[in-house]
Amino acid sequence: MWPRGLARPAHCSAAALTWGRQGEGELSLLFVSEKCPLPRILIVPSVRQCKLELVVGSPASCMDLELYTPDDKFLMKLDSDESLLGSYPIDDGCRIHVIDRSGATLGEYEDVSRVEKFEIPDAEYEKRTDSARSFMKRSKLGQYNKEEMLKREMEQEQKLAEEKALAEAIAVGVRCEVRASGQPSKRGTVMYVGLTEFKPGYWIGIKYDEPLGKHDGSVNGKRYFECQSKYGAFVKPQHVTVGDFPEEDYGLDDEM
């Protein structure tokens, strides 16, 4: 991070840091830039706090910095809090080795099963007035809005009744054409009508005339009808039109 309020020289491009872990509690950073390795007017504590703290994840006060040459030879420690970065022989390809003295171990906070969790019985949680549940009840939000929940249930029941009526008008074995918004129409034969286990509501199982489907009549291991692979599909009844639809030749057999 370039110091706030200070203009960057025109000849000095932004510096970048590429890094990789060396061992437990240790991390190395490689300076890469086009012209200027890093703002040399930064003092070492600013380098720790502005650059390294965000990458390493440990407090700047817990870092020991060591400088290595591009061919990985140790040069010196960056241990003077009054020195500018430019006072050290840092150039492109140099490596700053960060030793973390915070005591944290790699992966310590990644396994949530090792984190002690606070649990409260549901009866006690119900009595609290400062909980999310209490707020939702007072505000009549979500499942605690009885009017809204009742309205949703009625809408779902009405939608299901409409789907059922449309599905009952479609018989297994009839020819049909599927017309879905934004997709080309596809012809096939109705192979299944009714409820399914993979999604709620009524569905129409179609065996297309060409391999324009998604499966062979089975979904999630349950078979609803028989057809060749990629010839089967399920669509909502409102997208199915029954009638005298002869098979169309899409020319797919002529392709290799």
Side-chain angles (χ1 to χ4, degrees):
M1 181 182 297
W2 195 271
R4 182 175 298 177
L6 201 64
R8 176 184 295 143
H11 69 280
C12 183
S13 60
L17 293 172
T18 60
W19 61 277
R21 285 203 173 270
Q22 303 295 308
E24 196 69 48
E26 299 183 4
L27 183 140
S28 289
L29 300 103
L30 184 69
F31 290 97
V32 181
S33 69
E34 297 175 1
K35 296 179 181 179
C36 179
L38 266 181
R40 296 179 181 274
I41 57 175
L42 289 180
I43 59 176
V44 172
S46 296
V47 175
R48 291 196 191 100
Q49 185 172 8
C50 298
K51 283 289 185 183
L52 304 183
E53 196 172 54
L54 296 176
V55 179
V56 178
S58 60
S61 59
C62 297
M63 299 180 195
D64 287 338
L65 307 184
E66 297 177 346
L67 179 62
Y68 287 78
T69 64
D71 54 357
D72 213 32
K73 292 181 180 179
F74 173 75
L75 280 177
M76 62 186 65
K77 291 187 177 182
L78 307 183
D79 53 5
S80 175
D81 289 348
E82 289 78 26
S83 298
L84 297 176
L85 191 63
S87 65
Y88 293 97
I90 296 179
D91 204 350
D92 284 355
C94 285
R95 176 169 63 89
I96 286 185
H97 191 71
V98 182
I99 300 175
D100 182 6
R101 295 184 288 98
S102 66
T105 58
L106 186 62
E108 180 178 4
Y109 303 107
E110 295 177 3
D111 186 1
V112 295
S113 65
R114 298 169 54 189
V115 179
E116 184 177 355
K117 301 174 181 62
F118 173 75
E119 297 182 0
I120 181 173
D122 188 71
E124 293 186 21
Y125 184 72
E126 183 69 25
K127 297 176 183 178
R128 300 189 61 158
T129 59
D130 57 348
S131 65
R133 182 186 297 175
S134 176
F135 172 78
M136 292 179 69
K137 283 184 175 181
R138 291 195 305 270
S139 305
K140 295 183 178 181
L141 299 175
Q143 60 179 316
Y144 302 105
N145 187 334
K146 294 183 178 180
E147 294 180 358
E148 182 65 24
M149 293 300 294
L150 181 60
K151 180 181 177 181
R152 290 184 181 180
E153 290 179 5
M154 293 178 63
E155 289 176 350
Q156 285 293 106
E157 291 178 359
Q158 182 179 355
K159 180 180 177 181
L160 188 63
E162 292 174 353
E163 282 189 355
K164 182 180 180 181
L166 292 172
E168 289 178 343
I170 302 173
V172 172
V174 300
R175 293 286 299 168
C176 69
E177 188 171 73
V178 177
R179 302 167 183 170
S181 177
Q183 299 181 19
S185 59
K186 293 173 281 190
R187 294 183 180 182
T189 302
V190 176
M191 303 295 292
Y192 178 87
V193 178
L195 300 172
T196 64
E197 294 182 2
F198 58 84
K199 278 187 178 180
Y202 285 83
W203 293 85
I204 310 299
I206 308 292
K207 181 181 74 173
Y208 289 130
D209 296 337
E210 298 289 345
L212 304 173
K214 296 183 177 181
H215 48 72
D216 63 352
S218 62
V219 179
N220 297 336
K222 180 176 176 59
R223 180 160 298 282
Y224 295 90
F225 59 91
E226 297 278 352
C227 72
Q228 293 174 272
S229 179
K230 300 298 182 181
Y231 278 74
F234 280 95
V235 296
K236 282 297 185 178
Q238 57 265 34
H239 300 309
V240 179
T241 301
V242 299
D244 183 17
F245 296 106
E247 291 190 21
E248 287 186 335
D249 183 7
Y250 293 87
L252 299 181
D253 293 336
D254 298 333
E255 298 179 2
M256 296 298 290

